[in-house]
Structures are given as C-alpha cells and as structure tokens.
Amino acid sequence: MRIAHVITRMIIGGAQENTLFNCQDLISDYGDEVLLITGPALGPEGDLLGQGRAHEVPIELIDSLRRPIHPWRDWVAARALKRVLRSFQPDVVHTHSAKGGLIGRAVAWSLGVPAVVHTIHGAPFHDYQNAAARRFFIGCERWAARRCHRMISVADAMTELMVNESVAPRSKFTTIYSGMDVEPFLAARENREKQRRELGLADEHVVIGKVARLFHLKGHEDLVRAAPSVVTAFPQVRFLLVGEGILREPLLQLMNDLGVRENFVLTGLVPPQQVPRLMGAMDALVHTSYREGLARALPQAFLSGIPAISYDVDGAKEVVLDGETGFLVSPADISQLAERLIQICCDFELRQAQGRAGRQKFTDQFRHQTMTRQIRDVYSELLR
C-alpha cells in the first residue's frame, strides 16, 4: 500500500508517538510505502522527530500547517498538501489531530483518495470551552466526518462522545487502542533503586507519579491541593511530576503556600525514552486531567507494574478498572482524590495486586504492533 499520514505537528506527545510507530511498522512489517506529512513541531513539548526516532520514515514538512486557526495560512497549507498528495498518489490518507484532520480529510476527499481515515486521539471540543467555540468545533468535525471513510477512536469513550454530538453514525467508528513500545515499561523496575537515588528518593518514600505537561486542564493544581491531607496521613509520600509547561511557577507557589513543596519532585521536560525508568521509580500513578482520549500514561503505569488513580474522564475507565487495576475518582473531587491517594500509600499489598492485574490485562493490547495490524486491517477492508 501507499499510505500518507497527515498530522499537524510532531511534538513529544501520545498522538505523535502513536503515528510514528504506525508509520515505522507499516514500512518494516508490511513493506508499505509511507509518507509522513507534518507541520513544524512548535511548542514547549519538544520535537519528537528531532530526537532521531523517525529512522526510515520519509517526511514532508509543510511549514504553513500550524495548530492555531489562521484562514490565509490554512489555505496555503491545503494547497501545499494537495501538491504533495498528487505527487505521492496514496491508496490511503490517514489523518490525525484537529487541524491536520480537517485539512487532510478535505484535501484527500477532493482528490478521490480510495481510503480516507481519521484517528480521534482526543476531541477538539469539550465542556471547558465557551459555548460558541464548542459549537464551532463540533460543526467542523461534522463537516470533516463526511469527508472520510472511517474514523478510528483510541477509546470507546471517544466514539460515544462523537456519536452523541451527531458527528457521524456509530457504524463509521472503530476503536483501536493507541500502541506503544511495551518492553521498556515491562523492564521499568530493573533500575528502580538507581533511578530513585538519582531523584533524591529514599527507600521509605512511597512515590506517586504524574506524567503530563504542566498545563491547563491537566489537573496538577488539584493534586497539589490534595497533597496536604495525604502528607498529614502519610508523611513519607513523594509526588513525582514528569513534564514541563507554563504552569510551573504558579504550581511551585501553591506548593509553598500549602507547605508541601518538599514532598514534590519535578523532573522538567524529559525525552520519551526516559519515561519508563521514571515509571519504575514510582509506586503508583495519578492522572487528574480533565479531558483526554485515553492517556498513554495509564497503560504505561500498568505495564510498569503499578496501579493508577485517575479522574473518571473519557477513556480512563476502559483501563482503570475501579478496585482492580486502580481507582477512579470524580473529576475535581479533591477530598475523594486525597482519600484514594492515602489508601494506595498505606497499603503495599494493594499496590502490588493492582499493578499485577493491570500488567496481565493490558500488555498485549497496547503493543504498537497490535495497533498497526488492526489499523492496516481497516485499510484493507476499505480498499477491498
């Protein structure tokens, strides 16, 4: 097959890693001709391709393909994308992200590409937007959905959201969980003691980790506000925040105001290959984002053999099985969050049992090879 992937930017993020693994697997495992079309990797998250991980994947950079809405630049990006696709002559165009998905589907559809597929990593509309913005983005998604043959959701919750907003009929959706390289996470605890020492963590510390940009709607403030109750009940707790972002200074100020600064360790921005070692240093993961398709950090925690405490949003409940692989908490319920954190800190056997259960259930499901095989089956079905 000749397959073109279109994505707005290849920053360090879940959707981008998903796309890169898919491209690499299609080339190495199936011998397909693949072209990755993307805009510049702008933003504080870091450049995924700049780390040399693209290997043999051919890349076409369209400088005008940017995340912010900009009618003139978006028109230029569409023209450039049309030229690239006409030259490449793909059998399949597979789009990702809101902007890449909107422009990519429109252009591919206008060219009569045999199979046009879009993956929903996370909806561009949500309850925390103003009503006008939400209606606008829902309208955009409805328009774009009519210009593709199939939509892939990274969680059943994404399908439910789209169907409930009449973006497309249920028959147009297929759920395929976002794949990853599972082996480093399965081996995450091999260097546990060394990693903990490097972070200044002692044997008696129970480490609750969070892997996310320090950004709005990621819920770091909720975790900091829950921390005093947890520290009072279990003084040996340490919160390990992996990630960087614009909220770093306000969060540090809040930690100081609440008297819990010494209970937090911030790593800043780290390369993706370092995340498994950091997971290995943790005893549990906390995920307090208010919106997420299905956060990769959740299955990564289970692969690493640790439980997860997560807000019950979007696809979280599909992997955080309450009481079995971790605990679900109502979004913004600081009291309930603190209670679950205290419970997980105080019960070693519970952490071990939930971590084992998560690893047994989800290892094969989240292999990137499993994801690529399922995605390629969608391509084959559409082309037939």
Side-chain angles (χ1 to χ4, degrees):
M1 297 182 193
R2 294 172 65 82
I3 303 155
H5 280 265
V6 182
I7 187 167
T8 309
R9 54 183 187 153
M10 287 297 286
I11 58 170
I12 296 173
Q16 291 75 18
E17 287 199 348
N18 166 308
T19 303
L20 186 56
F21 276 128
N22 193 194
C23 291
Q24 291 171 333
D25 291 346
L26 291 168
I27 294 169
S28 63
D29 296 352
Y30 300 95
D32 293 325
E33 294 183 59
V34 175
L35 180 63
L36 175 58
I37 305 168
T38 184
L42 303 175
E45 300 87 356
D47 181 0
L48 185 63
L49 299 180
Q51 298 182 341
R53 295 181 58 195
H55 301 303
E56 73 278 26
V57 179
I59 297 164
E60 184 77 35
L61 181 67
I62 296 178
D63 185 70
S64 52
L65 183 56
R66 309 284 182 97
R67 190 182 189 196
I69 295 171
H70 189 290
W72 168 251
R73 193 164 54 214
D74 296 342
W75 180 81
V76 173
R79 289 286 298 270
L81 179 58
K82 183 171 285 190
R83 287 194 297 271
V84 172
L85 292 181
R86 274 180 173 156
S87 174
F88 186 60
Q89 292 291 303
D91 302 305
V92 180
V93 168
H94 188 161
T95 67
H96 310 262
S97 67
K99 177 66 73 66
L102 189 71
I103 295 176
R105 280 180 280 181
V107 171
W109 196 259
S110 73
L111 293 174
V113 173
V116 182
V117 179
H118 177 66
T119 290
I120 306 160
H121 300 276
F125 54 87
H126 53 84
D127 292 337
Y128 304 100
Q129 293 166 315
N130 64 59
R134 181 179 169 85
R135 285 195 301 271
F136 172 76
F137 285 114
I138 290 173
C140 289
E141 286 300 308
R142 288 173 180 168
W143 183 86
R146 296 194 293 272
R147 288 159 177 81
C148 67
H149 300 97
R150 186 68 59 84
M151 299 173 75
I152 294 173
S153 300
V154 298
D156 291 336
M158 290 292 93
T159 297
E160 295 302 319
L161 177 62
M162 292 289 175
V163 170
N164 290 341
E165 295 295 345
S166 302
V167 169
R170 190 177 300 276
S171 59
K172 203 163 194 171
F173 294 89
T174 299
T175 295
I176 299 176
Y177 290 101
S178 186
M180 61 193 72
D181 185 4
V182 303
E183 301 306 327
F185 292 97
L186 294 175
R189 298 175 80 82
E190 291 179 2
N191 296 302
R192 175 179 169 83
E193 300 309 318
K194 179 182 178 183
Q195 182 65 71
R196 285 171 68 103
R197 283 197 304 273
E198 290 175 359
L199 293 167
L201 300 168
D203 291 342
E204 68 268 17
H205 291 145
V206 171
V207 180
I208 308 295
K210 179 170 172 58
V211 183
R213 289 182 297 148
L214 308 182
F215 205 71
H216 303 291
L217 299 181
K218 294 295 184 181
H220 291 88
E221 182 178 334
D222 291 4
L223 178 61
V224 176
R225 292 193 180 282
S229 298
V230 184
V231 171
T232 299
F234 195 87
Q236 298 92 343
V237 69
R238 293 294 181 270
F239 298 98
L240 178 62
L241 304 186
V242 180
E244 189 56 89
I246 62 174
L247 297 184
R248 181 185 181 91
E249 291 307 317
L251 288 170
L252 288 173
Q253 183 61 54
L254 182 61
M255 293 172 200
N256 284 322
D257 292 346
L258 296 177
V260 293
R261 176 64 185 91
E262 68 177 24
N263 296 90
F264 280 83
V265 177
L266 285 73
T267 68
L269 184 66
V270 301
Q273 59 268 28
Q274 194 175 331
V275 173
R277 293 186 65 204
L278 291 167
M279 285 276 188
M282 300 173 190
D283 296 290
L285 182 87
V286 63
H287 182 69
T288 49
S289 290
Y290 280 78
R291 59 181 293 263
E292 203 95 39
L294 197 162
R296 293 166 76 79
L298 294 174
Q300 287 170 353
F302 302 140
L303 294 169
S304 303
I306 61 175
I309 300 167
S310 174
Y311 278 170
D312 188 4
V313 297
D314 298 333
K317 60 180 173 292
E318 296 171 40
V319 291
V320 182
L321 310 180
D322 196 40
E324 184 177 352
T325 64
F327 293 111
L328 292 172
V329 175
S330 301
D333 191 333
I334 308 298
S335 176
Q336 187 186 22
L337 176 63
E339 288 175 11
R340 289 306 193 188
L341 287 168
I342 293 168
Q343 183 178 359
I344 213 78
C345 283
C346 295
D347 195 331
F348 173 81
E349 294 300 329
L350 177 65
R351 295 198 301 271
Q352 295 295 104
Q354 291 186 341
R356 283 194 302 269
R359 176 176 284 194
Q360 290 168 0
K361 282 181 174 294
F362 298 117
T363 296
D364 288 333
Q365 180 173 312
F366 283 93
R367 292 184 188 276
H368 63 84
Q369 297 90 341
T370 301
M371 171 193 72
T372 299
R373 174 176 51 78
Q374 294 172 341
I375 289 174
R376 200 174 187 279
D377 286 346
V378 171
Y379 299 163
S380 298
E381 177 192 338
L382 294 174
L383 292 174
R384 281 197 300 270

